[in-house]
Amino acid sequence: MGEKIQVRTLYQNVIQKVTKDPAIWREVCQLIGTLYRYEFDNILMVYAQRPEATLIADFDTWKKVGRYVKRGSRGIAIFPSRALTPSVRFVFDIGDTGGRQQELTWTFDDEKIKAYLGLQKQSGIPDQETSRITVENSSWEALKDFTKTYVRYIMETEFDERISELSQDTGNVINGLSDVTQEITAEGVIYESVLYAVGTRCGFDLSSEKTDFFGITSFVNEEEIYRLGSLVSD
């Protein structure tokens, strides 16, 4: 019971700080992209304990892929799937393991980029939305453009109801920046966050993108932060 209380306290502490500083939220989004199979509550747990983690699994999973957890390694406490009764389990970053060297995750090369760009015809995105993505662009730029379009399309077709509910609950937040008044919406923050998470995982150059996450500090309620983060992760 004491272990569960400690983990719950750790979670509550970290969720209260991740939206206080855009730089922290940027780090969280990067971790969301890196550990994309994990739900938002566990992303926060990993961020609180091992923010530099790159690939995590439990003891038995590492053993199945021919790696072992080094003696003395400290596990990262996380929750099980939210569909199960809450309890604590521990995972380990690949840096805590040794053993067989093998490719355990995906990376992009020219062949994979071409295959992914081929998804344009299968994506269901209207032709007029993808017409600006041309072979004149470099493969990386074409891939980034398609991904930006596809992220927006997925948000509109699969997550519109959840995003609308969050937008209604949080409202449009108006903030003044010197002589400029800027309108921040939940949808805009979600899109910016997803693009950064996906982009950093894929290796896109995001230097020209808007990644200041100015609106993130408007989310202060724990429930709203969780809903926002869950949308980004999902």
Side-chain angles (χ1 to χ4, degrees), residues 142-201:
L143 179 62
K144 184 169 75 169
D145 286 346
F146 172 59
T147 301
K148 289 165 67 174
T149 303
Y150 204 16
V151 165
R152 182 72 72 183
Y153 175 77
I154 292 172
M155 287 174 60
E156 293 173 351
T157 57
E158 299 184 26
F159 294 90
D160 181 65
E161 184 175 349
R162 287 172 61 186
I163 293 173
S164 296
E165 289 176 353
L166 181 61
S167 296
Q168 290 173 4
D169 291 344
T170 58
N172 290 338
V173 182
I174 309 298
N175 294 284
L177 286 177
S178 301
D179 297 329
V180 179
T181 298
Q182 185 169 352
E183 184 180 77
I184 303 299
T185 65
E187 181 179 1
V189 173
I190 292 167
Y191 177 74
E192 188 179 28
S193 301
V194 173
L195 185 61
Y196 192 81
V198 174
T200 53
R201 177 61 185 87

Side-chain angles (χ1 to χ4, degrees), residues 100-154:
R100 184 190 308 165
Q101 296 295 324
Q102 56 182 310
E103 191 70 38
L104 295 174
T105 186
W106 56 269
T107 55
F108 270 126
D109 54 31
D110 289 340
E111 183 177 342
K112 290 177 183 176
I113 289 176
K114 291 177 181 178
Y116 184 44
L117 287 174
L119 290 173
Q120 290 184 48
K121 297 180 180 179
Q122 307 173 34
S123 65
I125 303 175
D127 290 341
Q128 61 268 26
E129 294 293 330
T130 58
S131 60
R132 65 184 180 83
I133 304 171
T134 69
V135 293
E136 295 176 0
N137 294 333
S138 69
S139 294
W140 278 102
E141 286 302 309
L143 179 62
K144 184 169 75 169
D145 286 346
F146 172 59
T147 301
K148 289 165 67 174
T149 303
Y150 204 16
V151 165
R152 182 72 72 183
Y153 175 77
I154 292 172

Side-chain angles (χ1 to χ4, degrees), residues 56-70:
I56 60 175
D58 59 25
F59 185 92
D60 291 336
T61 300
W62 283 125
K63 188 175 181 180
K64 289 178 182 177
V65 298
R67 297 190 68 83
Y68 61 89
V69 176
K70 297 175 183 177

Side-chain angles (χ1 to χ4, degrees), residues 3-15 17-18 28 31-32 35 38-53 56 75-80 87-91 226:
E3 189 175 65
K4 290 182 180 180
I5 293 174
Q6 288 180 346
V7 170
R8 174 58 60 179
T9 300
L10 182 64
Y11 170 79
Q12 290 176 336
N13 288 341
V14 70
I15 197 172
K17 79 171 188 177
V18 292
V28 171
L31 197 60
I32 288 173
L35 307 178
Y38 287 79
E39 296 166 345
F40 182 63
D41 51 1
N42 281 330
I43 292 293
L44 293 185
M45 291 299 295
V46 175
Y47 182 77
Q49 300 166 82
R50 196 77 60 82
E52 72 281 3
I56 60 175
I76 305 167
I78 65 172
F79 304 112
S87 61
V88 178
R89 65 189 181 103
F90 292 90
V91 293
Y226 174 77

